[in-house]
Amino acid sequence: MDLSTSANEEASYVNNLKGFILAVISSAFIGSSFIIKKKGLKRAGHSGVRASVGGYGYLMEPLWWIGMITMIVGEIANFIALMFAPAVLVIPLGALSIIVSAVLAHFILNEKLQKMGLVGCVLCVVGSTMIVLHAPEEHPVTSVLEIWDLAIQPAFLLYTSSVLVTVLVLMLHSAPRYGQTNIMIYIGICSLFGSLTVMSVKAIGTAIKLTLEGSSQVAYFQTWIFAMVSVTCIMTQLNYLNKALDTFNTAVVSPIYYAMFTSLTIFASAIMFKDYAGQSASSIASELCGFITILSGTAVLHSTKDPDPPQNTDLYSPLSPKLWWHVQEKGDQWKQKDEDGLSADFVAIIRQDYFA
């Protein structure tokens, strides 16, 4: 009995280690993809309708596709990680992608990372370490039917129904009216659907793992239902994540998206898979403290970044304060930089043709 328990613990440790390594690799790719995709969105926006207002010109931009492929590689690594480790271990490690995107944004997008931003990065690493050290063991699953039974339990059905109703309200009512000014609309849609994505991807990953081990799960219709849910949720997430990236500062989108997505995913996983069943109170408390530490780090990162200036879609937009004024008065031509202040001798421009 003791040998069996020891073997199970060792197998669980090895699986958690595999999940950890894959989750770190996933974070590196996903964090990089945010920056590459944003560069592609900016290029596409210069020559067509921006994604934030319904344009799809970015689909013709090679740089956006490079970012998309990078994200897919990261998601595949994340997908494989979920085959070996519980979601409450894999998903919080996504905080590392925030560090990657913040550092790359500093050098590539000129979205400066301040000293307190470095403190936020350290907090994310500390919190992630606490979660890894106290991660729960994965409960063994022998069939996708077991996961289906977990998915149709009343508590999780109530959660799923709440998510669908909330997402429909956000998509049909809030997004057209407030999407351009309230960052929580787009990110809320991504995060809510994201929690369902992880649950269905976890089921698919388990089905693939069992199939490779010799117990085929392909014949079960439940496997294909989980696959359809995953594809639908992922496509919706990508659409609204593009809108969020094109509308708001990357360093603002990443931490808020992480905080909402991770919180909802942990909550959904706790309901569906009962990850914390059998864990001691001290382990659960340590994991919660680790997660709060990560949220604190993301909040610090968020607070050190200035949001992007609001987009002006009017035909006659105000002149930039960095423009040079060319003024001609009484035959004497001079120029003055607006941000340095106008000359004390200058009173008013009376005629439009005074501009050279």
Side-chain angles (χ1 to χ4, degrees):
M1 187 70 174
D2 292 338
L3 290 175
S4 176
T5 302
S6 177
N8 289 336
E9 289 179 352
E10 183 178 353
S12 177
Y13 170 79
V14 171
N15 285 336
N16 280 0
L17 180 60
K18 291 178 181 178
F20 167 75
I21 294 172
L22 288 166
V24 171
I25 295 172
S26 170
S27 295
F29 277 94
I30 292 175
S32 302
S33 75
F34 273 98
I35 307 304
I36 300 172
K37 286 174 66 180
K38 177 136 190 178
K39 289 286 285 186
L41 289 169
K42 284 187 172 183
R43 283 189 184 181
H46 292 154
S47 58
V49 180
R50 297 173 64 97
S52 57
V53 292
Y56 293 94
Y58 60 85
L59 294 175
M60 304 299 293
E61 175 55 52
L63 192 58
W64 184 86
W65 281 107
I66 293 174
M68 189 67 199
I69 293 171
T70 305
M71 174 173 277
I72 290 172
V73 172
E75 293 296 348
I76 290 174
N78 203 52
F79 173 77
I80 300 174
L82 287 169
M83 292 184 186
F84 295 100
V88 293
L89 167 62
V90 174
I91 301 304
L93 290 175
L96 302 178
S97 68
I98 298 174
I99 299 175
V100 173
S101 64
V103 172
L104 292 179
H106 175 83
F107 292 105
I108 298 175
L109 300 179
N110 293 321
E111 297 175 359
K112 298 303 180 184
L113 180 63
Q114 301 176 13
K115 291 181 179 179
M116 285 302 295
L118 296 175
V119 174
C121 293
V122 172
L123 287 173
C124 288
V125 173
V126 171
S128 298
T129 303
M130 293 176 66
I131 289 177
V132 170
L133 293 176
H134 298 90
E137 295 181 4
E138 181 81 295
H139 300 296
V141 176
T142 58
S143 171
V144 74
L145 296 178
E146 294 183 29
I147 302 179
W148 178 260
D149 290 337
L150 295 173
I152 61 175
Q153 59 183 319
F156 191 73
L157 287 177
L158 178 61
Y159 174 80
T160 303
S161 301
S162 302
V163 167
L164 293 177
V165 170
T166 305
V167 165
L168 286 175
V169 171
L170 290 175
M171 290 174 63
L172 301 178
H173 174 75
S174 302
R177 293 171 174 81
Y178 314 112
Q180 297 294 305
T181 56
N182 191 334
I183 192 173
M184 302 304 291
I185 304 298
Y186 294 151
I187 293 182
I189 295 171
C190 293
S191 301
L192 287 165
F193 262 158
S195 65
L196 297 182
T197 300
V198 172
M199 299 303 103
S200 55
V201 164
K202 177 71 174 176
I204 296 170
T206 302
I208 293 175
K209 183 181 178 183
L210 291 172
T211 300
L212 294 175
E213 291 174 351
S215 177
S216 178
Q217 307 293 305
V218 177
Y220 297 119
F221 75 90
Q222 290 90 342
T223 302
W224 299 103
I225 291 178
F226 283 128
M228 288 188 290
V229 171
S230 297
V231 171
T232 302
C233 291
I234 289 171
M235 295 302 293
T236 305
Q237 280 180 262
L238 289 176
N239 183 35
Y240 283 93
L241 183 58
N242 282 331
K243 292 185 177 184
L245 286 172
D246 196 40
T247 306
F248 304 100
N249 190 307
T250 307
V252 177
V253 172
S254 297
I256 296 178
Y257 178 46
Y258 166 80
M260 289 188 66
F261 169 66
T262 305
S263 301
L264 290 168
T265 299
I266 290 176
F267 183 62
S269 184
I271 295 174
M272 182 172 172
F273 292 104
K274 299 178 175 59
D275 294 311
Y276 296 105
Q279 270 201 301
S280 65
S282 60
S283 294
I284 295 174
S286 297
E287 284 187 65
L288 291 176
C289 288
F291 182 54
I292 292 172
T293 303
I294 292 175
L295 292 181
S296 301
T298 59
V300 171
L301 274 172
H302 177 199
S303 66
T304 59
K305 289 289 181 177
D306 296 324
D308 285 339
Q311 300 173 24
N312 195 325
T313 57
D314 295 337
L315 180 60
Y316 301 102
S317 59
L319 289 173
S320 166
K322 295 185 181 298
L323 290 177
W324 289 80
W325 295 86
H326 294 267
V327 182
Q328 185 175 11
E329 185 177 19
K330 296 181 180 180
D332 297 326
Q333 183 171 337
W334 56 280
K335 55 185 179 180
Q336 174 75 32
K337 198 172 183 180
D338 185 69
E339 64 184 4
D340 295 334
L342 290 174
S343 168
D345 297 332
F346 180 76
V347 178
I349 298 174
I350 300 186
R351 293 178 57 191
Q352 187 176 6
D353 59 2
Y354 280 164
F355 286 102

